Amino acid sequence: MVHMQQFQHWWRVTARLAYACLALSWIALAHGSELAEGEDSQRILIRAKQIFSPGGPWGEPGEILIVEGKIKFVGDKVELALPAKTVEVDVVMPGLVNAYSTAGLRGGGEAEFSREVTPEFDTLSTVDFRERAFKEALDAGVTTVQIIPGTDNVFAGLGCVVKTVGEGLEDRLVRQANCLVLSICIDP
């Protein structure tokens, strides 16, 4: 019973952090068109009451400077040489990574059934980026997914890593042929 309560607690904490991250994204996008005179639309300063960053502050107040869509600084205080749009939020965290996903695979993530050994099967060639699963993942705070084929085959094929949002394949592709999926037992 204790383990279930701990799981439920951490699930609620994770869900709250994911929603805070989404709120941050929405705030930054919503305020992007309301720039004051002298502010640069390519520079955003985020002031957070709590930052959860693997390489920086953990749960402490801080600031994040974003220039042209890239994070340039995470720390206690940013010294700005040029003006930037400032957004104040409660919590900021990195996007989550789903290391096992079948999002976007046509046929619901099924394996290639032409034969049992298909190591050349490329999942990226069958991904439909318009599928709802990508939006649902992004809404849950997941920004990157590793898409792998189903495990019905002994050698199921090649997995790929993509972002959950982007204009086209060039924007979304992180790594093609990231892994080879092998099944050495049967699925439960």
Side-chain angles (χ1 to χ4, degrees):
M1 185 66 169
V2 173
H3 294 295
M4 182 54 84
Q5 289 173 343
Q6 289 174 337
F7 172 77
Q8 290 172 341
H9 167 75
W10 286 110
W11 179 254
R12 285 191 298 272
V13 169
T14 303
R16 287 182 190 137
L17 289 173
Y19 284 119
C21 182
L22 291 172
L24 168 64
S25 301
W26 179 82
I27 289 168
L29 292 173
H31 293 346
S33 60
E34 303 171 9
L35 297 175
E37 188 174 330
E39 288 181 328
D40 186 352
S41 64
Q42 300 298 315
R43 299 172 57 81
I44 300 172
L45 177 65
I46 301 170
R47 290 193 176 121
K49 294 178 183 173
Q50 287 185 301
I51 296 177
F52 294 93
S53 170
W58 184 256
E60 298 176 9
E63 297 182 346
I64 301 170
L65 178 63
I66 301 172
V67 179
E68 296 180 3
K70 303 285 184 188
I71 297 174
K72 296 295 182 180
F73 177 84
V74 177
D76 294 335
K77 183 78 175 149
V78 175
E79 297 297 327
L80 293 173
L82 298 171
K85 173 65 183 166
T86 302
V87 178
E88 302 216 6
V89 297
D90 290 333
V91 177
V92 176
M93 65 177 264
L96 303 172
V97 176
N98 183 348
Y100 182 97
S101 176
T102 57
L105 286 184
R106 294 185 190 112
E110 300 297 327
E112 174 61 43
F113 287 115
S114 61
R115 56 190 191 279
E116 288 185 7
V117 178
T118 56
E120 72 284 351
F121 177 66
D122 181 15
T123 55
L124 187 60
S125 66
T126 65
V127 173
D128 181 4
F129 287 109
R130 297 169 297 174
E131 188 177 280
R132 183 178 178 170
F134 288 109
K135 183 178 180 338
E136 290 173 350
L138 185 62
D139 287 347
V142 177
T143 58
T144 307
V145 294
Q146 176 174 247
I147 301 173
I148 66 168
T151 56
D152 293 334
N153 297 358
V154 178
F155 287 87
L158 300 169
C160 63
V161 179
V162 296
K163 297 176 186 174
T164 55
V165 69
E167 293 298 318
L169 182 58
E170 303 80 30
D171 291 340
R172 289 182 173 221
L173 183 62
V174 175
R175 188 167 184 191
Q176 186 173 2
N178 183 60
C179 65
L180 175 63
V181 178
L182 307 172
S183 296
I184 56 174
C185 62
I186 61 171
D187 286 338

